[in-house]
């Protein structure tokens, strides 16, 4: 894949701010939860770049292969906590808004598992990863990871 535009070169000042906000928001929640949310949103948005990058980051932070592989079927997999399930349901509800799915059940689970501040922080995190997905898919971005390099995958 060849990038059609480098957003960091085209708009360095705003991209620097976007990166800083992204980092601050990610730091407001536990790292394992953040990576699960990033991976699930990226699956829904078919963002190969972000899936590749965040699966590698999740592994580096101690996430297991099975939990990464099972994310697309998290409702049926018993390996996620209630808090993670609430975050994943909220991620899906917000990432697929255009599908017209009601958010009431996801919001109830979110409220039961997260403080008010955490609900806002998680919602911001979901917005951030959806924004990154759109930048990556829209401009054909690909960041190489050791896992893809080791298998001989070319960008």
């Amino acid at each position: 894949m060849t990038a059609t535009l480098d957003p960091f070169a085209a708009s360095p000042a705003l991209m620097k701010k976007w990166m800083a906000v992204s980092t601050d928001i990610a730091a407001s929640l536990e790292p394992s939860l953040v990576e699960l949310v990033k991976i699930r949103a990226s699956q829904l948005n078919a963002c190969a770049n972000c899936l590749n990058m965040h699966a590698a980051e999740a592994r580096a932070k101690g996430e297991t292969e099975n939990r990464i592989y099972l994310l697309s079927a998290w409702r049926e997999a018993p390996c996620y906590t209630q808090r993670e399930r609430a975050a994943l349901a909220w991620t899906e509800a917000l990432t697929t808004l255009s599908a017209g799915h009601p958010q009431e059940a996801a919001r109830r689970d979110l409220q039961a598992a997260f403080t008010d501040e955490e609900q806002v922080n998680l919602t911001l995190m979901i917005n951030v990863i959806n924004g990154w997905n759109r930048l990556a898919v829209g401009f054909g971005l690909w960041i190489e990871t050791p896992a893809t390099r080791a298998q001989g995958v070319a960008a």
Side-chain angles (χ1 to χ4, degrees), residues 96-114:
T96 61
L97 281 174
S98 65
H101 300 294
Q103 289 84 36
E104 291 82 20
R107 187 178 300 109
R108 278 192 304 274
D109 291 344
L110 178 77
Q111 291 169 335
F114 291 84

Side-chain angles (χ1 to χ4, degrees), residues 73-141:
W74 65 267
R75 283 182 177 81
E76 291 77 31
C79 58
Y80 302 101
T81 67
Q82 285 306 112
R83 183 173 167 89
E84 290 167 341
R85 289 175 179 285
L88 293 168
W90 192 238
T91 300
E92 288 183 2
L94 297 183
T95 301
T96 61
L97 281 174
S98 65
H101 300 294
Q103 289 84 36
E104 291 82 20
R107 187 178 300 109
R108 278 192 304 274
D109 291 344
L110 178 77
Q111 291 169 335
F114 291 84
T115 67
D116 288 353
E117 180 182 6
E118 290 172 329
Q119 290 176 53
V120 171
N121 295 351
L122 177 61
T123 301
L124 289 169
M125 186 68 256
I126 294 164
N127 277 278
V128 164
I129 190 55
N130 276 283
W132 281 114
N133 290 164
R134 280 142 182 81
L135 283 165
V137 172
F139 296 127
L141 304 180

Side-chain angles (χ1 to χ4, degrees), residues 1 10 18 25 27 30 33 36-37 54 59 64 68 70 84 88-89 92 102 115 117 124 126 130-132 146:
M1 177 181 304
W18 176 246
I25 292 169
E30 58 269 34
L33 182 73
L36 293 176
V37 165
H54 294 298
R59 284 182 202 96
T64 67
I68 293 170
L70 289 168
E84 290 167 341
L88 293 168
E92 288 183 2
T115 67
E117 180 182 6
L124 289 169
I126 294 164
N130 276 283
W132 281 114

Side-chain angles (χ1 to χ4, degrees), residues 25-83:
I25 292 169
S28 72
L29 296 161
E30 58 269 34
S32 61
L33 182 73
V34 167
E35 293 306 323
L36 293 176
V37 165
K38 289 177 180 179
I39 293 168
R40 185 62 188 131
S42 299
Q43 288 173 333
L44 295 168
N45 289 319
C47 182
N49 178 68
C50 293
L51 280 168
N52 182 48
M53 184 170 50
H54 294 298
E57 288 178 6
R59 284 182 202 96
K61 293 176 182 175
E63 189 56 74
T64 67
E65 290 296 319
N66 281 355
R67 282 172 38 99
I68 293 170
Y69 296 151
L70 289 168
L71 264 174
S72 62
W74 65 267
R75 283 182 177 81
E76 291 77 31
C79 58
Y80 302 101
T81 67
Q82 285 306 112
R83 183 173 167 89

